[in-house]
Amino acid sequence: MILLILYADVLFAVNFIMDYLALYAASAVLGLGRRRVRLACGALIGAAYCIVKIYASFPEPLAAVLVSLVMCFAALWNGKVITYIKAVILFYAVSMLFGGVMTFLYESARRYRSAPLFRDGLTPGLFFAAVGILFVFIFAGSRIVS
């Protein structure tokens, strides 16, 4: 039997940061301005859902999609439906990019455990450094695209 220890504060922080950065990138690409409080509210909704779903069961794909729609509405709604649809699509695209890169890093950390950098696995410090570097690339790309 495998014992899994889950730290809710770390899970909340990681989800909040990832959601905030994905919402921020979508906002930057669409030129919606930097509404930090609204972006934080959207990220807070996503991070809270991640914690709540540990204790309550939801119809998973449907609940996750509804929560992401609410997150985008709270953070990126500007009164135009077409802009909202674009924001949701961009949010999903950036989230998938973040998720793919982080999955790659976790798998690499597991595979190369003998390397000094990954001796303790992917630590929170390495995780946040990787997210920061990835965000710089996405932000620079969004500036070029927009």
Side-chain angles (χ1 to χ4, degrees):
M1 183 164 102
I2 297 174
L3 179 62
L4 177 67
I5 298 174
L6 182 67
Y7 293 100
D9 56 343
V10 174
L11 182 66
F12 181 86
V14 166
N15 277 278
F16 180 84
I17 290 169
M18 296 290 280
D19 289 340
Y20 185 89
L21 292 176
L23 290 167
Y24 183 88
S27 174
V29 170
L30 293 173
L32 295 177
R34 307 300 182 267
R35 300 174 283 193
R36 291 184 181 120
V37 173
R38 290 187 61 192
L39 294 173
C41 287
L44 182 67
I45 292 167
Y49 168 70
C50 189
I51 298 300
V52 169
K53 77 178 183 177
I54 294 171
Y55 300 106
S57 62
F58 298 107
E60 196 40 48
L62 179 62
V65 169
L66 289 175
V67 168
S68 64
L69 292 175
V70 171
M71 289 169 56
C72 288
F73 185 83
L76 304 171
W77 177 256
N78 70 343
K80 298 177 183 172
V81 174
I82 195 73
T83 304
Y84 174 70
I85 293 169
K86 289 177 183 177
V88 170
I89 292 169
L90 281 169
F91 171 73
Y92 272 107
V94 172
S95 295
M96 287 179 198
L97 179 64
F98 278 162
V101 169
M102 297 318 293
T103 300
F104 169 76
L105 287 175
Y106 275 112
E107 291 299 318
S108 295
R110 218 171 41 141
R111 200 170 319 134
Y112 300 112
R113 245 186 207 281
S114 60
L117 183 63
F118 295 122
R119 182 181 36 135
D120 296 324
L122 189 62
T123 62
L126 285 174
F127 175 83
F128 290 119
V131 169
I133 292 167
L134 182 60
F135 182 71
V136 168
F137 283 118
I138 288 175
F139 185 74
S142 71
R143 287 291 192 193
I144 293 168
V145 170
S146 64

Short mmCIF file of all heavy atoms in Angstrom, two decimals, residues 66-88:
data_model
loop_
_atom_site.label_atom_id
_atom_site.label_comp_id
_atom_site.label_asym_id
_atom_site.label_seq_id
_atom_site.Cartn_x
_atom_site.Cartn_y
_atom_site.Cartn_z
N LEU A 66 -17.11 23.87 -15.53
CA LEU A 66 -17.93 24.96 -14.97
C LEU A 66 -17.09 25.89 -14.10
O LEU A 66 -17.25 27.12 -14.17
CB LEU A 66 -19.11 24.38 -14.19
CG LEU A 66 -20.20 23.73 -15.02
CD1 LEU A 66 -21.25 23.09 -14.12
CD2 LEU A 66 -20.83 24.72 -15.98
N VAL A 67 -16.22 25.33 -13.29
CA VAL A 67 -15.36 26.16 -12.44
C VAL A 67 -14.43 27.02 -13.30
O VAL A 67 -14.24 28.21 -13.02
CB VAL A 67 -14.56 25.30 -11.44
CG1 VAL A 67 -13.46 26.10 -10.77
CG2 VAL A 67 -15.49 24.72 -10.40
N SER A 68 -13.87 26.45 -14.37
CA SER A 68 -12.99 27.26 -15.22
C SER A 68 -13.76 28.37 -15.93
O SER A 68 -13.23 29.46 -16.13
CB SER A 68 -12.26 26.37 -16.22
OG SER A 68 -13.15 25.77 -17.12
N LEU A 69 -15.02 28.11 -16.29
CA LEU A 69 -15.84 29.17 -16.90
C LEU A 69 -16.10 30.29 -15.89
O LEU A 69 -16.05 31.47 -16.25
CB LEU A 69 -17.15 28.59 -17.41
CG LEU A 69 -17.04 27.65 -18.61
CD1 LEU A 69 -18.41 27.05 -18.93
CD2 LEU A 69 -16.47 28.34 -19.82
N VAL A 70 -16.37 29.92 -14.65
CA VAL A 70 -16.59 30.93 -13.59
C VAL A 70 -15.30 31.70 -13.32
O VAL A 70 -15.32 32.93 -13.16
CB VAL A 70 -17.12 30.26 -12.30
CG1 VAL A 70 -17.15 31.24 -11.14
CG2 VAL A 70 -18.51 29.70 -12.54
N MET A 71 -14.16 31.00 -13.31
CA MET A 71 -12.87 31.66 -13.11
C MET A 71 -12.63 32.72 -14.18
O MET A 71 -12.25 33.85 -13.88
CB MET A 71 -11.72 30.64 -13.16
CG MET A 71 -11.63 29.72 -11.99
SD MET A 71 -10.46 28.36 -12.27
CE MET A 71 -8.97 29.25 -12.66
N CYS A 72 -12.83 32.32 -15.44
CA CYS A 72 -12.62 33.25 -16.55
C CYS A 72 -13.60 34.40 -16.50
O CYS A 72 -13.25 35.54 -16.82
CB CYS A 72 -12.70 32.51 -17.89
SG CYS A 72 -11.29 31.44 -18.19
N PHE A 73 -14.84 34.12 -16.10
CA PHE A 73 -15.83 35.18 -15.99
C PHE A 73 -15.41 36.18 -14.92
O PHE A 73 -15.46 37.40 -15.14
CB PHE A 73 -17.21 34.60 -15.68
CG PHE A 73 -18.29 35.64 -15.67
CD1 PHE A 73 -18.88 36.04 -16.86
CD2 PHE A 73 -18.72 36.21 -14.49
CE1 PHE A 73 -19.88 37.01 -16.85
CE2 PHE A 73 -19.70 37.18 -14.47
CZ PHE A 73 -20.29 37.58 -15.66
N ALA A 74 -14.99 35.68 -13.77
CA ALA A 74 -14.60 36.56 -12.66
C ALA A 74 -13.37 37.40 -13.03
O ALA A 74 -13.28 38.56 -12.65
CB ALA A 74 -14.32 35.73 -11.41
N ALA A 75 -12.45 36.81 -13.75
CA ALA A 75 -11.18 37.48 -14.01
C ALA A 75 -11.15 38.27 -15.30
O ALA A 75 -10.49 39.31 -15.38
CB ALA A 75 -10.04 36.46 -14.02
N LEU A 76 -11.85 37.80 -16.34
CA LEU A 76 -11.62 38.33 -17.69
C LEU A 76 -12.85 38.89 -18.39
O LEU A 76 -12.74 39.34 -19.53
CB LEU A 76 -10.99 37.23 -18.57
CG LEU A 76 -9.70 36.61 -18.02
CD1 LEU A 76 -9.31 35.40 -18.84
CD2 LEU A 76 -8.60 37.63 -17.98
N TRP A 77 -14.00 38.85 -17.77
CA TRP A 77 -15.21 39.34 -18.43
C TRP A 77 -15.13 40.84 -18.65
O TRP A 77 -14.85 41.59 -17.73
CB TRP A 77 -16.44 39.00 -17.61
CG TRP A 77 -17.71 39.55 -18.19
CD1 TRP A 77 -18.40 40.63 -17.75
CD2 TRP A 77 -18.43 39.03 -19.30
NE1 TRP A 77 -19.51 40.83 -18.52
CE2 TRP A 77 -19.56 39.86 -19.50
CE3 TRP A 77 -18.24 37.97 -20.18
CZ2 TRP A 77 -20.48 39.65 -20.51
CZ3 TRP A 77 -19.17 37.76 -21.18
CH2 TRP A 77 -20.27 38.59 -21.34
N ASN A 78 -15.39 41.27 -19.88
CA ASN A 78 -15.39 42.70 -20.18
C ASN A 78 -16.70 43.14 -20.85
O ASN A 78 -16.77 44.22 -21.42
CB ASN A 78 -14.19 43.07 -21.06
CG ASN A 78 -14.32 42.53 -22.47
OD1 ASN A 78 -15.12 41.64 -22.74
ND2 ASN A 78 -13.54 43.07 -23.38
N GLY A 79 -17.71 42.29 -20.79
CA GLY A 79 -19.01 42.63 -21.35
C GLY A 79 -19.23 42.15 -22.77
O GLY A 79 -20.31 42.32 -23.32
N LYS A 80 -18.21 41.56 -23.38
CA LYS A 80 -18.32 41.08 -24.75
C LYS A 80 -18.19 39.56 -24.77
O LYS A 80 -17.20 39.00 -24.32
CB LYS A 80 -17.24 41.69 -25.63
CG LYS A 80 -17.33 43.20 -25.71
CD LYS A 80 -16.19 43.77 -26.52
CE LYS A 80 -16.28 45.29 -26.52
NZ LYS A 80 -15.11 45.89 -27.14
N VAL A 81 -19.20 38.89 -25.31
CA VAL A 81 -19.23 37.43 -25.32
C VAL A 81 -18.08 36.85 -26.14
O VAL A 81 -17.43 35.88 -25.72
CB VAL A 81 -20.60 36.92 -25.85
CG1 VAL A 81 -20.59 35.41 -25.99
CG2 VAL A 81 -21.72 37.37 -24.93
N ILE A 82 -17.79 37.42 -27.29
CA ILE A 82 -16.73 36.88 -28.14
C ILE A 82 -15.37 36.99 -27.46
O ILE A 82 -14.54 36.08 -27.55
CB ILE A 82 -16.73 37.53 -29.55
CG1 ILE A 82 -15.89 36.71 -30.53
CG2 ILE A 82 -16.22 38.94 -29.50
CD1 ILE A 82 -16.53 35.43 -30.93
N THR A 83 -15.13 38.07 -26.74
CA THR A 83 -13.87 38.21 -26.00
C THR A 83 -13.80 37.18 -24.87
O THR A 83 -12.74 36.61 -24.61
CB THR A 83 -13.74 39.64 -25.43
OG1 THR A 83 -13.86 40.57 -26.49
CG2 THR A 83 -12.42 39.84 -24.72
N TYR A 84 -14.95 36.92 -24.23
CA TYR A 84 -15.00 35.92 -23.17
C TYR A 84 -14.67 34.53 -23.72
O TYR A 84 -13.90 33.77 -23.12
CB TYR A 84 -16.37 35.93 -22.51
CG TYR A 84 -16.58 34.83 -21.51
CD1 TYR A 84 -15.91 34.84 -20.29
CD2 TYR A 84 -17.44 33.77 -21.77
CE1 TYR A 84 -16.10 33.83 -19.36
CE2 TYR A 84 -17.64 32.77 -20.85
CZ TYR A 84 -16.97 32.80 -19.65
OH TYR A 84 -17.15 31.80 -18.74
N ILE A 85 -15.21 34.19 -24.88
CA ILE A 85 -14.93 32.89 -25.50
C ILE A 85 -13.45 32.77 -25.83
O ILE A 85 -12.81 31.74 -25.57
CB ILE A 85 -15.81 32.68 -26.75
CG1 ILE A 85 -17.27 32.54 -26.33
CG2 ILE A 85 -15.36 31.45 -27.54
CD1 ILE A 85 -18.26 32.58 -27.48
N LYS A 86 -12.87 33.83 -26.38
CA LYS A 86 -11.44 33.84 -26.66
C LYS A 86 -10.63 33.68 -25.37
O LYS A 86 -9.62 32.98 -25.34
CB LYS A 86 -11.03 35.13 -27.36
CG LYS A 86 -11.52 35.25 -28.78
CD LYS A 86 -11.11 36.61 -29.35
CE LYS A 86 -11.65 36.83 -30.74
NZ LYS A 86 -11.31 38.16 -31.26
N ALA A 87 -11.08 34.35 -24.32
CA ALA A 87 -10.37 34.27 -23.03
C ALA A 87 -10.39 32.85 -22.48
O ALA A 87 -9.37 32.37 -21.98
CB ALA A 87 -11.00 35.23 -22.03
N VAL A 88 -11.53 32.18 -22.58
CA VAL A 88 -11.63 30.81 -22.09
C VAL A 88 -10.69 29.89 -22.89
O VAL A 88 -9.98 29.07 -22.33
CB VAL A 88 -13.09 30.31 -22.16
CG1 VAL A 88 -13.17 28.81 -21.89
CG2 VAL A 88 -13.96 31.07 -21.17
#
